[in-house]
Amino acid sequence: MGLQTTMRALADPTRREILNQLKRQSLSAGDLAARFPMSGAAVSKHLAVLKEAGLIRDRREGKYIFYELNASVLEEVLLWLNGLKED
């Protein structure tokens, strides 16, 4: 995952709120969709962008897919940002 892809994913306020929801617990796509005033398809698109950026990962349990935060990518971004202010 490139930094550009990660920053593009983080630029959207809906995607940032999805990450906030996932920092507490893993959630199914349906649970996430119920928390936002948009269609399930729109939430699914946001999830795809976050997954492509490596910010979340998914796991299947029966017929459900659960999403969880992948903090390691966020840690890499923070390290890079901290490096910008060092000098």
Side-chain angles (χ1 to χ4, degrees), residues 58-66:
D58 62 359
R59 64 177 162 46
R60 185 172 293 277
E61 287 186 19
K63 64 179 183 173
Y64 298 101
I65 299 174
F66 287 86

Side-chain angles (χ1 to χ4, degrees), residues 16-35:
R16 291 194 304 268
E17 183 54 32
I18 289 171
L19 293 175
N20 276 326
Q21 296 292 319
L22 293 175
K23 76 180 180 183
R24 294 178 191 90
Q25 63 185 349
S26 62
L27 295 166
S28 70
D31 289 337
L32 280 165
R35 297 169 186 234

Side-chain angles (χ1 to χ4, degrees), residues 4 8-9 15 17 21 26 40-41 45 48 50-53 58 63 66 68 70 72 76 84:
Q4 183 174 348
R8 182 176 63 89
R15 291 193 283 269
E17 183 54 32
Q21 296 292 319
S26 62
K45 183 165 175 59
L50 290 168
K51 189 174 173 189
E52 178 186 342
D58 62 359
K63 64 179 183 173
F66 287 86
E68 57 190 31
N70 182 7
S72 63
E76 289 177 27
L84 289 177

Side-chain angles (χ1 to χ4, degrees), residues 57-86:
R57 57 183 160 241
D58 62 359
R59 64 177 162 46
R60 185 172 293 277
E61 287 186 19
K63 64 179 183 173
Y64 298 101
I65 299 174
F66 287 86
Y67 293 89
E68 57 190 31
L69 189 64
N70 182 7
S72 63
V73 173
L74 290 172
E75 290 168 358
E76 289 177 27
V77 171
L78 289 173
L79 287 171
W80 179 77
L81 289 171
N82 279 333
L84 289 177
K85 64 181 193 174
E86 291 177 359

